[in-house]
């Protein structure tokens, strides 16, 4: 466990891409902790809309083949990129695990859908901060291909995929420290009267 405080963890959080991962596997115990932390995200009316499908080994490779074949099927010849096709396959192979980030719509529609999407995103932020604190690489990808996953996963009624959370260990020299933000003062108005 690292001694970074929450302010530091938030500031050093980065996307670490599958091409940067090494061959050291991410443990099942870590993934279980990651999911448990996701489970504590805020949730309006306690709908707990987040759902996760964990792909490892052959399952993540089958996903890579499915996504790359789907990319080929839906892309015109003039827009097809052999580089992108290969990258889809390589991302799945390079990751130690892939978490399909899914959202289960409240069957009673008691709250707006955007709130359930926001809750799911907060669950992912919990996962991202957990990865950062433990120096595990991760990356949330939401390609157009997620719209075709009904042919890969057995979704419950009202469930849909919002993207993939790639996981992998990495060598610290690979970490990108160059992120920056414009000052919060430029985005804030204080009203006190």
């Amino acid at each position: 466990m690292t001694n970074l405080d929450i302010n530091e963890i938030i500031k050093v959080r980065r996307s670490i891409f599958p091409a940067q991962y090494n061959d050291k596997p991410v443990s099942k115990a870590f993934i279980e902790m990651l999911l448990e932390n996701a489970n504590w995200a805020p949730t309006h009316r306690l709908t707990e809309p987040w759902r996760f499908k964990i792909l490892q080994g052959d399952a993540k490779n089958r996903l890579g083949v499915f996504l790359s074949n789907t990319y080929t099927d839906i892309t015109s010849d003039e827009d097809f990129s052999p580089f992108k096709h290969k990258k889809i396959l390589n991302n799945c192979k390079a990751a130690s695990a892939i978490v399909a980030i899914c959202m289960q719509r409240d069957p009673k529609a008691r709250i707006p859908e955007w709130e359930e999407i926001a809750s799911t995103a907060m669950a992912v932020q919990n996962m991202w901060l957990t990865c950062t604190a433990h120096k595990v690489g991760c990356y949330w990808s939401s390609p157009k291909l997620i719209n075709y996953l009904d042919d890969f996963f057995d979704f419950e009624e009202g469930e849909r995929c919002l993207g993939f959370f790639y996981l992998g260990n990495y060598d610290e020299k690979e970490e990108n420290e160059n992120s920056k933000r414009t000052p919060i003062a430029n985005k804030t108005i204080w009203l006190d009267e």
Side-chain angles (χ1 to χ4, degrees), residues 63-115:
L63 177 67
V65 170
F66 172 82
L67 293 173
S68 62
N69 287 345
T70 302
Y71 170 73
T72 300
D73 293 345
I74 67 169
T75 306
S76 67
D77 289 344
E78 66 248 12
D79 292 332
F80 183 83
S81 164
F83 172 80
K84 186 170 182 175
H85 184 269
K86 185 176 180 181
K87 184 178 176 185
I88 292 166
L89 282 169
N90 288 344
N91 280 349
C92 291
K93 287 179 186 175
S96 179
I98 302 168
V99 180
I101 303 161
C102 301
M103 186 274 296
Q104 176 66 56
R105 182 73 171 116
D106 176 26
K108 297 178 183 174
R110 294 173 291 169
I111 61 173
E113 183 182 41
W114 74 264
E115 289 189 28

Side-chain angles (χ1 to χ4, degrees), residues 21-184:
Y21 301 161
N22 60 34
D23 292 333
K24 182 182 173 193
V26 174
S27 72
K28 182 177 181 180
F30 177 80
I31 296 170
E32 288 171 343
M33 177 184 60
L34 189 74
L35 298 173
E36 183 62 28
N37 288 349
N39 199 40
W40 286 95
T43 171
H44 189 188
R45 301 201 56 144
L46 299 176
T47 62
E48 300 181 43
W50 45 82
R51 300 292 185 272
F52 303 109
K53 300 176 189 323
I54 315 305
L55 297 101
Q56 294 180 292
D58 287 340
K60 68 183 180 67
N61 295 330
R62 282 193 313 273
L63 177 67
V65 170
F66 172 82
L67 293 173
S68 62
N69 287 345
T70 302
Y71 170 73
T72 300
D73 293 345
I74 67 169
T75 306
S76 67
D77 289 344
E78 66 248 12
D79 292 332
F80 183 83
S81 164
F83 172 80
K84 186 170 182 175
H85 184 269
K86 185 176 180 181
K87 184 178 176 185
I88 292 166
L89 282 169
N90 288 344
N91 280 349
C92 291
K93 287 179 186 175
S96 179
I98 302 168
V99 180
I101 303 161
C102 301
M103 186 274 296
Q104 176 66 56
R105 182 73 171 116
D106 176 26
K108 297 178 183 174
R110 294 173 291 169
I111 61 173
E113 183 182 41
W114 74 264
E115 289 189 28
E116 293 185 311
I117 293 169
S119 282
T120 303
M122 287 185 269
V124 174
Q125 179 71 349
N126 283 1
M127 293 180 357
W128 217 321
L129 295 177
T130 301
C131 285
T132 300
H134 292 270
K135 298 200 176 286
V136 171
C138 60
Y139 166 60
W140 183 354
S141 173
S142 297
K144 174 168 84 168
L145 295 169
I146 62 175
N147 297 323
Y148 299 89
L149 287 173
D150 287 348
D151 293 332
F152 189 83
F153 292 120
D154 291 327
F155 289 121
E156 299 292 324
E157 186 175 343
E159 182 183 14
R160 66 182 171 115
C161 185
L162 301 179
F164 302 112
F165 197 68
Y166 293 91
L167 294 169
N169 285 298
Y170 65 99
D171 300 322
E172 285 191 51
K173 68 179 186 270
E174 294 285 343
E175 192 171 359
N176 178 4
E177 296 290 341
N178 296 327
S179 189
K180 61 183 177 181
R181 297 291 188 270
T182 57
I184 191 63

Side-chain angles (χ1 to χ4, degrees), residues 1-5 9 130 132-135:
M1 187 79 174
T2 180
N3 290 328
L4 291 175
D5 74 2
I9 291 169
T130 301
T132 300
H134 292 270
K135 298 200 176 286

